[in-house]
Amino acid sequence: MSCLDVPVDILLVEDNPRDIRLTHEAFKEADLDTSLQAVRDGHEALEFLFQQGEYEAASYPDLVLLDLNLPRKDGHQVLKEIRDDSELSPLPVLVLTSSEAEEDIRESYELAANAYLTKPSNPDEFVSLAQAVANFWLKSVQLPPVSA
């Protein structure tokens, strides 16, 4: 089944309100049937994914866009907890961060990130990045079935 047969749920884990807005606008411009939910820190991301607290009725995402520099629990900690959980481990996680540090890139891939993307510096580049993510991850790739 192609991801385009049904709406694709994306979880954005991002603490910067500007980047949340830009990402929402970029995926809207990509003109695909997506639902983008945003949480603002690593602890909230895990509550969402484990459907705890206020996220008890949250829908399980098809894809996660994960910033590394987050309050309470950083992106690497979130990625490790996702990969350590048997139900969440198949979930595609794309690191989307401003860091270009080799150490962050290496650690992300060691924790089994599916991709490491550097945040664009302007809004037009955000649209191009969203389109590239959509073309590859939503049109071409076969994602694992939702298990939660």
Side-chain angles (χ1 to χ4, degrees):
M1 173 172 67
S2 165
C3 288
L4 298 178
D5 295 339
V6 295
V8 176
D9 290 323
I10 299 171
L11 176 63
L12 173 63
V13 186
E14 172 62 64
D15 64 321
N16 184 319
R18 176 185 177 271
D19 289 346
I20 292 171
R21 182 183 51 79
L22 286 172
T23 305
H24 271 283
E25 290 173 3
F27 273 91
K28 192 179 291 184
E29 283 194 40
D31 198 31
L32 291 171
D33 193 5
T34 59
S35 169
L36 188 71
Q37 299 292 322
V39 295
R40 294 181 182 252
D41 65 52
H43 181 76
E44 196 176 351
L46 292 170
E47 283 186 339
F48 187 101
L49 292 168
F50 287 107
Q51 298 174 319
Q52 299 170 339
E54 70 179 277
Y55 301 106
E56 194 172 51
S59 63
Y60 189 77
D62 298 301
L63 181 72
V64 175
L65 298 175
L66 177 66
D67 189 16
L68 292 180
N69 303 310
L70 299 166
R72 298 205 291 171
K73 195 172 281 238
D74 74 26
H76 286 130
Q77 292 170 311
V78 172
L79 183 55
K80 180 175 181 353
E81 289 196 40
I82 290 171
R83 295 305 185 227
D84 285 347
D85 183 84
S86 62
E87 288 187 23
L88 291 179
S89 63
L91 181 63
V93 178
L94 312 183
V95 171
L96 178 60
T97 188
S98 56
S99 173
E100 295 181 7
E102 286 183 16
E103 178 182 312
D104 285 338
I105 296 167
R106 185 179 312 106
E107 185 174 354
S108 295
Y109 282 115
E110 285 173 357
L111 292 169
N114 295 90
Y116 191 99
L117 307 167
T118 303
K119 286 181 190 173
S121 58
N122 71 51
D124 290 338
E125 291 174 354
F126 254 90
V127 173
S128 295
L129 179 68
Q131 192 63 57
V133 167
N135 284 337
F136 184 75
W137 287 99
L138 308 180
K139 289 182 179 178
S140 300
V141 170
Q142 294 288 325
L143 297 175
V146 174
S147 61

